[in-house]
Amino acid sequence: MSIQDPHHTDPMSATTSTEDQLAGMHRSVVVIGGGQAGLSMSWWLADRGIDHVVLEADRAGHEWRDRRWDSFCLVTPNWQCALPGFGYAGDDPDGFMVRDEIVEYLEKFVASFNPPLVEGVRATALRARAAGTFEIRTDRGTLTADQVVVATGPYQVPRTPRVAERLPEGIHQLHSSQYRNADELPEGAVLVVGTGQSGSQIAEDLHLAGRQVHLATGTAPRVARFYRGRDCVAWLSDMGTYTKGIEQFSDTETVRHKTNHYVTGRDGGRDIDLRRFAREGMRLHGRLAAVTGDGTLSFGPELRANLNGADAVSEGIKDSIDAYIDANGIDAPVEERRAPVWQPGPEADEPYELDLAEAGITTVIWSTGFGRDNRWIELPIFDGRGYPTHDRGVTSQPGLYFLGLPWQHTWGSGRFSGVADDAEHLLEQIVTARRGSAVADGLHWLAGTPASSYPDLDRDEDWVAPRTAN
């Protein structure tokens, strides 16, 4: 893999901060989060010569390096990797970078412009000050800023359902973010709960490793990897799917929080066909409904509907590609539609139970998504579900922005393909922002007092992160 040299301005190395410099520091912009979103924001700020600092709780690229399994790879082609000034320029644009290559891509991006990045510092509070600026408290001192960009990502807190507490003590449990490979798990069958991108790919990884896999399915849609001679992503890109703004949809909330389609880039890319896995011995189930104290699992009767629903979405995407090809007179090979290779038996249409011990299940992997934890942001900018209210990342609090949220503006928001455009948009807002009336430290909260507008860490021991996009 090779990366093109970016056309860039001076990296502003003089603004790079050390631990001793954080306390009392003031910057025009503080960017919180050093993933692809925060780094993209830094690139644009540096390009415009705006003094800033990027705070990262771990290391740049931490999410890719430490919370992905060994065989993980992108599900979008390499040509969609387009960080600002740093697009993919390797010899496999239609391939899919594996985990270590993704980390290398980010590391080279950082090295290309030497951002003012401080790693290993966690923001613990964000508040507005009477002077119209912001105060950012961290575990390494307090600093201030004229404007703040929150780029902490959507996948902060692994979500595990309370039903997990009912599993027998001898069952090994882990969240999908903790899974690395089949060899690290105890011997025996594995139950994977959830069929979003992570759950489906982990189930495939275990299946290919020869493990007996049970998969509790959900309503996640799927998409074909290739159709009519091209990757479906290439067709959809030509069709303008990935640049369509969320304001063009009638139900923005449904779009913003919908589950991603499952597919894989593994071994050059292919479909994830749960029906084929079932024909090869994987056990598919409906929704995991309950766990009894004796280790019995109850599943709902949704398996057939879940499989048919995922297939319907995939076929609908193919229909839209067919229509695009016909409308534009494109010469593309005709591809025959194939019937499903497996159907669940009639027993799947009724609730049923499974005994963990009889099935030999020793491990349960919860692929049940993530939540956001914004309790450290002490500003009234959230809706009733804890989601930040914004317009293309611009909040109602003057000078405060979000970057890297799913569907912040388009499908590519937060991804390698679209985060650069979102960051550039915020740059223009930052440059042109004219601060309104300052928010006093004695802030008038929308309801109650500041402490009652978000959970109290000392009292709310059972607080669970709000659900967000999977």
Side-chain angles (χ1 to χ4, degrees), residues 435-458:
R435 304 300 303 273
S437 58
V439 178
D441 287 333
L443 178 63
H444 293 290
W445 290 77
L446 293 181
T449 65
S452 67
S453 297
Y454 58 92
D456 188 316
L457 289 175
D458 294 329

PDB file of all heavy atoms in Angstrom, residues 435-458:
ATOM      1  N   ARG A 435     -19.634  35.074  17.186  1.00  0.00           N
ATOM      2  CA  ARG A 435     -20.188  34.637  18.448  1.00  0.00           C
ATOM      3  C   ARG A 435     -21.346  35.518  18.904  1.00  0.00           C
ATOM      4  O   ARG A 435     -21.267  36.742  18.899  1.00  0.00           O
ATOM      5  CB  ARG A 435     -19.111  34.633  19.535  1.00  0.00           C
ATOM      6  CG  ARG A 435     -17.889  33.801  19.194  1.00  0.00           C
ATOM      7  CD  ARG A 435     -18.277  32.352  18.961  1.00  0.00           C
ATOM      8  NE  ARG A 435     -18.949  31.775  20.098  1.00  0.00           N
ATOM      9  CZ  ARG A 435     -18.311  31.191  21.121  1.00  0.00           C
ATOM     10  NH1 ARG A 435     -17.016  31.145  21.147  1.00  0.00           N
ATOM     11  NH2 ARG A 435     -18.992  30.694  22.134  1.00  0.00           N
ATOM     12  N   GLY A 436     -22.434  34.879  19.312  1.00  0.00           N
ATOM     13  CA  GLY A 436     -23.593  35.588  19.803  1.00  0.00           C
ATOM     14  C   GLY A 436     -23.419  35.965  21.257  1.00  0.00           C
ATOM     15  O   GLY A 436     -22.301  36.086  21.763  1.00  0.00           O
ATOM     16  N   SER A 437     -24.493  36.124  21.910  1.00  0.00           N
ATOM     17  CA  SER A 437     -24.425  36.497  23.321  1.00  0.00           C
ATOM     18  C   SER A 437     -23.762  35.392  24.107  1.00  0.00           C
ATOM     19  O   SER A 437     -24.024  34.219  23.888  1.00  0.00           O
ATOM     20  CB  SER A 437     -25.834  36.750  23.863  1.00  0.00           C
ATOM     21  OG  SER A 437     -26.643  35.605  23.704  1.00  0.00           O
ATOM     22  N   ALA A 438     -22.868  35.772  24.989  1.00  0.00           N
ATOM     23  CA  ALA A 438     -22.112  34.793  25.758  1.00  0.00           C
ATOM     24  C   ALA A 438     -23.029  34.033  26.697  1.00  0.00           C
ATOM     25  O   ALA A 438     -24.000  34.562  27.217  1.00  0.00           O
ATOM     26  CB  ALA A 438     -21.020  35.495  26.573  1.00  0.00           C
ATOM     27  N   VAL A 439     -22.692  32.780  26.909  1.00  0.00           N
ATOM     28  CA  VAL A 439     -23.425  31.955  27.856  1.00  0.00           C
ATOM     29  C   VAL A 439     -22.733  32.065  29.199  1.00  0.00           C
ATOM     30  O   VAL A 439     -21.553  31.753  29.330  1.00  0.00           O
ATOM     31  CB  VAL A 439     -23.458  30.476  27.395  1.00  0.00           C
ATOM     32  CG1 VAL A 439     -24.179  29.621  28.428  1.00  0.00           C
ATOM     33  CG2 VAL A 439     -24.137  30.368  26.039  1.00  0.00           C
ATOM     34  N   ALA A 440     -23.449  32.496  30.194  1.00  0.00           N
ATOM     35  CA  ALA A 440     -22.846  32.710  31.504  1.00  0.00           C
ATOM     36  C   ALA A 440     -22.559  31.397  32.192  1.00  0.00           C
ATOM     37  O   ALA A 440     -23.163  30.380  31.907  1.00  0.00           O
ATOM     38  CB  ALA A 440     -23.775  33.557  32.369  1.00  0.00           C
ATOM     39  N   ASP A 441     -21.573  31.464  33.120  1.00  0.00           N
ATOM     40  CA  ASP A 441     -21.302  30.274  33.919  1.00  0.00           C
ATOM     41  C   ASP A 441     -22.535  29.863  34.712  1.00  0.00           C
ATOM     42  O   ASP A 441     -22.777  28.687  34.938  1.00  0.00           O
ATOM     43  CB  ASP A 441     -20.131  30.534  34.870  1.00  0.00           C
ATOM     44  CG  ASP A 441     -18.815  30.564  34.127  1.00  0.00           C
ATOM     45  OD1 ASP A 441     -18.706  29.927  33.072  1.00  0.00           O
ATOM     46  OD2 ASP A 441     -17.900  31.240  34.613  1.00  0.00           O
ATOM     47  N   GLY A 442     -23.340  30.829  35.146  1.00  0.00           N
ATOM     48  CA  GLY A 442     -24.592  30.514  35.814  1.00  0.00           C
ATOM     49  C   GLY A 442     -25.653  30.236  34.760  1.00  0.00           C
ATOM     50  O   GLY A 442     -26.630  30.963  34.617  1.00  0.00           O
ATOM     51  N   LEU A 443     -25.452  29.195  33.978  1.00  0.00           N
ATOM     52  CA  LEU A 443     -26.252  28.883  32.799  1.00  0.00           C
ATOM     53  C   LEU A 443     -27.702  28.586  33.167  1.00  0.00           C
ATOM     54  O   LEU A 443     -27.987  27.892  34.122  1.00  0.00           O
ATOM     55  CB  LEU A 443     -25.627  27.662  32.112  1.00  0.00           C
ATOM     56  CG  LEU A 443     -26.300  27.097  30.871  1.00  0.00           C
ATOM     57  CD1 LEU A 443     -26.293  28.136  29.766  1.00  0.00           C
ATOM     58  CD2 LEU A 443     -25.539  25.861  30.424  1.00  0.00           C
ATOM     59  N   HIS A 444     -28.644  29.143  32.395  1.00  0.00           N
ATOM     60  CA  HIS A 444     -30.052  28.824  32.582  1.00  0.00           C
ATOM     61  C   HIS A 444     -30.330  27.498  31.885  1.00  0.00           C
ATOM     62  O   HIS A 444     -30.431  27.432  30.667  1.00  0.00           O
ATOM     63  CB  HIS A 444     -30.936  29.931  31.992  1.00  0.00           C
ATOM     64  CG  HIS A 444     -30.820  31.231  32.729  1.00  0.00           C
ATOM     65  ND1 HIS A 444     -31.309  31.415  34.000  1.00  0.00           N
ATOM     66  CD2 HIS A 444     -30.242  32.408  32.373  1.00  0.00           C
ATOM     67  CE1 HIS A 444     -31.062  32.659  34.399  1.00  0.00           C
ATOM     68  NE2 HIS A 444     -30.415  33.271  33.439  1.00  0.00           N
ATOM     69  N   TRP A 445     -30.450  26.447  32.637  1.00  0.00           N
ATOM     70  CA  TRP A 445     -30.652  25.113  32.069  1.00  0.00           C
ATOM     71  C   TRP A 445     -32.099  24.956  31.631  1.00  0.00           C
ATOM     72  O   TRP A 445     -33.015  25.574  32.173  1.00  0.00           O
ATOM     73  CB  TRP A 445     -30.254  24.045  33.093  1.00  0.00           C
ATOM     74  CG  TRP A 445     -28.784  24.041  33.277  1.00  0.00           C
ATOM     75  CD1 TRP A 445     -28.037  24.926  33.999  1.00  0.00           C
ATOM     76  CD2 TRP A 445     -27.867  23.139  32.688  1.00  0.00           C
ATOM     77  NE1 TRP A 445     -26.710  24.625  33.889  1.00  0.00           N
ATOM     78  CE2 TRP A 445     -26.570  23.533  33.098  1.00  0.00           C
ATOM     79  CE3 TRP A 445     -27.992  22.030  31.856  1.00  0.00           C
ATOM     80  CZ2 TRP A 445     -25.435  22.857  32.703  1.00  0.00           C
ATOM     81  CZ3 TRP A 445     -26.862  21.348  31.467  1.00  0.00           C
ATOM     82  CH2 TRP A 445     -25.596  21.773  31.883  1.00  0.00           C
ATOM     83  N   LEU A 446     -32.314  24.100  30.680  1.00  0.00           N
ATOM     84  CA  LEU A 446     -33.655  23.898  30.149  1.00  0.00           C
ATOM     85  C   LEU A 446     -34.596  23.334  31.203  1.00  0.00           C
ATOM     86  O   LEU A 446     -35.794  23.585  31.190  1.00  0.00           O
ATOM     87  CB  LEU A 446     -33.604  22.935  28.949  1.00  0.00           C
ATOM     88  CG  LEU A 446     -32.876  23.472  27.718  1.00  0.00           C
ATOM     89  CD1 LEU A 446     -32.933  22.435  26.611  1.00  0.00           C
ATOM     90  CD2 LEU A 446     -33.492  24.768  27.245  1.00  0.00           C
ATOM     91  N   ALA A 447     -34.082  22.540  32.101  1.00  0.00           N
ATOM     92  CA  ALA A 447     -34.914  21.948  33.147  1.00  0.00           C
ATOM     93  C   ALA A 447     -34.043  21.681  34.350  1.00  0.00           C
ATOM     94  O   ALA A 447     -32.984  21.080  34.232  1.00  0.00           O
ATOM     95  CB  ALA A 447     -35.568  20.652  32.664  1.00  0.00           C
ATOM     96  N   GLY A 448     -34.508  22.120  35.534  1.00  0.00           N
ATOM     97  CA  GLY A 448     -33.785  21.813  36.753  1.00  0.00           C
ATOM     98  C   GLY A 448     -32.454  22.518  36.832  1.00  0.00           C
ATOM     99  O   GLY A 448     -32.255  23.611  36.323  1.00  0.00           O
ATOM    100  N   THR A 449     -31.512  21.870  37.467  1.00  0.00           N
ATOM    101  CA  THR A 449     -30.169  22.397  37.657  1.00  0.00           C
ATOM    102  C   THR A 449     -29.211  21.653  36.767  1.00  0.00           C
ATOM    103  O   THR A 449     -29.548  20.608  36.221  1.00  0.00           O
ATOM    104  CB  THR A 449     -29.752  22.216  39.127  1.00  0.00           C
ATOM    105  OG1 THR A 449     -29.652  20.815  39.407  1.00  0.00           O
ATOM    106  CG2 THR A 449     -30.753  22.855  40.060  1.00  0.00           C
ATOM    107  N   PRO A 450     -27.975  22.170  36.597  1.00  0.00           N
ATOM    108  CA  PRO A 450     -27.022  21.432  35.765  1.00  0.00           C
ATOM    109  C   PRO A 450     -26.876  19.984  36.183  1.00  0.00           C
ATOM    110  O   PRO A 450     -26.812  19.099  35.354  1.00  0.00           O
ATOM    111  CB  PRO A 450     -25.725  22.229  35.971  1.00  0.00           C
ATOM    112  CG  PRO A 450     -26.188  23.613  36.249  1.00  0.00           C
ATOM    113  CD  PRO A 450     -27.454  23.458  37.048  1.00  0.00           C
ATOM    114  N   ALA A 451     -26.835  19.682  37.461  1.00  0.00           N
ATOM    115  CA  ALA A 451     -26.634  18.315  37.917  1.00  0.00           C
ATOM    116  C   ALA A 451     -27.828  17.427  37.617  1.00  0.00           C
ATOM    117  O   ALA A 451     -27.686  16.208  37.521  1.00  0.00           O
ATOM    118  CB  ALA A 451     -26.341  18.299  39.423  1.00  0.00           C
ATOM    119  N   SER A 452     -29.018  18.019  37.466  1.00  0.00           N
ATOM    120  CA  SER A 452     -30.186  17.187  37.198  1.00  0.00           C
ATOM    121  C   SER A 452     -30.458  17.036  35.713  1.00  0.00           C
ATOM    122  O   SER A 452     -31.383  16.355  35.315  1.00  0.00           O
ATOM    123  CB  SER A 452     -31.429  17.785  37.875  1.00  0.00           C
ATOM    124  OG  SER A 452     -31.784  19.022  37.277  1.00  0.00           O
ATOM    125  N   SER A 453     -29.659  17.675  34.878  1.00  0.00           N
ATOM    126  CA  SER A 453     -29.851  17.577  33.434  1.00  0.00           C
ATOM    127  C   SER A 453     -29.036  16.452  32.811  1.00  0.00           C
ATOM    128  O   SER A 453     -29.100  16.236  31.616  1.00  0.00           O
ATOM    129  CB  SER A 453     -29.460  18.905  32.753  1.00  0.00           C
ATOM    130  OG  SER A 453     -30.297  19.938  33.198  1.00  0.00           O
ATOM    131  N   TYR A 454     -28.283  15.752  33.611  1.00  0.00           N
ATOM    132  CA  TYR A 454     -27.535  14.594  33.149  1.00  0.00           C
ATOM    133  C   TYR A 454     -27.290  13.708  34.353  1.00  0.00           C
ATOM    134  O   TYR A 454     -27.355  14.162  35.492  1.00  0.00           O
ATOM    135  CB  TYR A 454     -26.196  15.001  32.507  1.00  0.00           C
ATOM    136  CG  TYR A 454     -25.287  15.779  33.417  1.00  0.00           C
ATOM    137  CD1 TYR A 454     -24.336  15.128  34.208  1.00  0.00           C
ATOM    138  CD2 TYR A 454     -25.389  17.165  33.504  1.00  0.00           C
ATOM    139  CE1 TYR A 454     -23.516  15.852  35.055  1.00  0.00           C
ATOM    140  CE2 TYR A 454     -24.572  17.889  34.353  1.00  0.00           C
ATOM    141  CZ  TYR A 454     -23.634  17.223  35.118  1.00  0.00           C
ATOM    142  OH  TYR A 454     -22.818  17.936  35.952  1.00  0.00           O
ATOM    143  N   PRO A 455     -27.005  12.406  34.155  1.00  0.00           N
ATOM    144  CA  PRO A 455     -26.877  11.494  35.287  1.00  0.00           C
ATOM    145  C   PRO A 455     -25.753  11.882  36.226  1.00  0.00           C
ATOM    146  O   PRO A 455     -24.689  12.336  35.796  1.00  0.00           O
ATOM    147  CB  PRO A 455     -26.596  10.146  34.612  1.00  0.00           C
ATOM    148  CG  PRO A 455     -27.135  10.301  33.236  1.00  0.00           C
ATOM    149  CD  PRO A 455     -26.905  11.734  32.873  1.00  0.00           C
ATOM    150  N   ASP A 456     -25.967  11.710  37.508  1.00  0.00           N
ATOM    151  CA  ASP A 456     -24.950  11.942  38.530  1.00  0.00           C
ATOM    152  C   ASP A 456     -24.146  10.663  38.693  1.00  0.00           C
ATOM    153  O   ASP A 456     -24.680   9.604  39.028  1.00  0.00           O
ATOM    154  CB  ASP A 456     -25.629  12.313  39.853  1.00  0.00           C
ATOM    155  CG  ASP A 456     -24.618  12.759  40.904  1.00  0.00           C
ATOM    156  OD1 ASP A 456     -23.572  12.103  41.024  1.00  0.00           O
ATOM    157  OD2 ASP A 456     -24.900  13.753  41.602  1.00  0.00           O
ATOM    158  N   LEU A 457     -22.858  10.741  38.415  1.00  0.00           N
ATOM    159  CA  LEU A 457     -22.023   9.549  38.457  1.00  0.00           C
ATOM    160  C   LEU A 457     -22.029   8.885  39.826  1.00  0.00           C
ATOM    161  O   LEU A 457     -21.869   7.673  39.942  1.00  0.00           O
ATOM    162  CB  LEU A 457     -20.585   9.906  38.057  1.00  0.00           C
ATOM    163  CG  LEU A 457     -20.379  10.244  36.585  1.00  0.00           C
ATOM    164  CD1 LEU A 457     -18.943  10.699  36.358  1.00  0.00           C
ATOM    165  CD2 LEU A 457     -20.681   9.063  35.703  1.00  0.00           C
ATOM    166  N   ASP A 458     -22.205   9.673  40.879  1.00  0.00           N
ATOM    167  CA  ASP A 458     -22.177   9.100  42.218  1.00  0.00           C
ATOM    168  C   ASP A 458     -23.477   8.387  42.565  1.00  0.00           C
ATOM    169  O   ASP A 458     -23.509   7.506  43.410  1.00  0.00           O
ATOM    170  CB  ASP A 458     -21.922  10.200  43.261  1.00  0.00           C
ATOM    171  CG  ASP A 458     -20.537  10.801  43.101  1.00  0.00           C
ATOM    172  OD1 ASP A 458     -19.639  10.057  42.665  1.00  0.00           O
ATOM    173  OD2 ASP A 458     -20.375  11.997  43.392  1.00  0.00           O
TER     174      ASP A 458
END
